[in-house]
Amino acid sequence: MPGDFALTNLTNHFLIAMPGLQDEVFARSVVYVCEHSERGALGLVINKPCDMDMKRLFEKVELPLRREDLSSAPVFLGGPVQTERGFVLHEPLYADADKPAESVYASTMTIPGGLEMTTSKDVLEALSTGAGPRKVLVSLGYAAWGEGQLESELSDNSWLTVAASSSVIFDTPVAQRYDKALLLLGLEAWMLSPDAGHA
């Protein structure tokens, strides 16, 4: 029912894979949900680095990288859809009060209450000059769910959900992000049974 949707809008939340989720892409994954509506959901996996760092990515797009803090940062596998495209998750560039009417970049999604995601090359060009957002996570590809698909996976106990924390995304070592996301719920991995419905 459309009226019930607001109760389960998971925009700006983490999806945390349950142990029973054995899918190659999503096992032990943490997904930041950028958009969730009646039509479906879109998110980025924040804890699965690919075999490329930012320095190499910038070489591939033929841009210099003048941000020492980013050169060895990993590029992530954001999900199985459009894996040739880059998605830049970053902190908002302006506080709400200072926000200009137009986005700074050509293609930016502002996530209500959360971060921003930019898909246009101009954000990489800004980073290459040493400017751009201070905290960024770059992924190739994204995760997507069709209408009702995520709700179905939630009812099958494939995912836990919790309000997202930017410190898990930007300040936590990659290997610790799954456990840190669980801690937001007061849980640890050993507490989760891989078999739904069994103690």
Side-chain angles (χ1 to χ4, degrees):
M1 309 216 352
D4 295 340
F5 178 76
L7 301 174
T8 56
N9 186 340
L10 295 174
T11 302
N12 194 33
H13 278 64
F14 287 145
L15 301 175
I16 307 167
M18 287 288 283
L21 188 59
Q22 295 298 318
D23 178 277
E24 187 181 329
V25 176
F26 293 115
R28 278 190 64 86
S29 68
V30 180
V31 180
Y32 178 76
V33 180
C34 302
E35 185 174 49
H36 186 206
S37 72
E38 293 94 335
R39 295 184 309 278
L42 180 153
L44 299 174
V45 177
I46 62 155
N47 67 329
K48 299 273 181 107
C50 67
D51 55 5
M52 186 189 313
D53 62 16
M54 293 279 276
K55 184 173 188 294
R56 177 81 187 97
L57 176 73
F58 274 72
E59 286 168 3
K60 280 183 78 128
V61 295
E62 297 178 0
L63 287 171
L65 179 55
R66 296 192 180 93
R67 286 271 303 267
E68 280 303 312
D69 59 316
L70 294 179
S71 63
S72 63
V75 174
F76 290 82
L77 294 168
V81 184
Q82 293 192 357
T83 52
E84 72 292 341
R85 279 191 67 196
F87 297 83
V88 182
L89 191 62
H90 57 87
E91 59 190 358
L93 296 179
Y94 295 95
D96 287 341
D98 305 328
K99 202 175 188 90
E102 293 291 309
S103 173
V104 175
Y105 303 116
S107 182
T108 297
M109 172 195 292
T110 298
I111 298 149
L115 303 170
E116 293 180 346
M117 182 183 69
T118 300
T119 56
S120 47
K121 190 176 177 183
D122 50 1
V123 68
L124 297 181
E125 289 164 352
L127 291 171
S128 87
T129 67
R134 197 171 63 82
K135 295 186 174 186
V136 297
L137 178 146
V138 176
S139 78
L140 297 174
Y142 65 93
W145 291 264
E147 183 178 345
Q149 189 182 358
L150 180 55
E151 289 76 7
S152 170
E153 290 181 17
L154 289 166
S155 67
D156 290 342
N157 290 325
S158 295
W159 302 98
L160 293 169
T161 63
V162 65
S165 158
S166 61
S167 73
V168 172
I169 299 171
F170 298 124
D171 305 326
T172 303
V174 175
Q176 296 173 24
R177 290 181 189 174
Y178 183 81
D179 292 328
K180 277 279 199 285
L182 281 175
L183 278 175
L184 296 172
L185 289 165
L187 296 173
E188 293 184 37
W190 64 266
M191 299 172 170
L192 304 177
S193 167
D195 306 313
H198 301 289

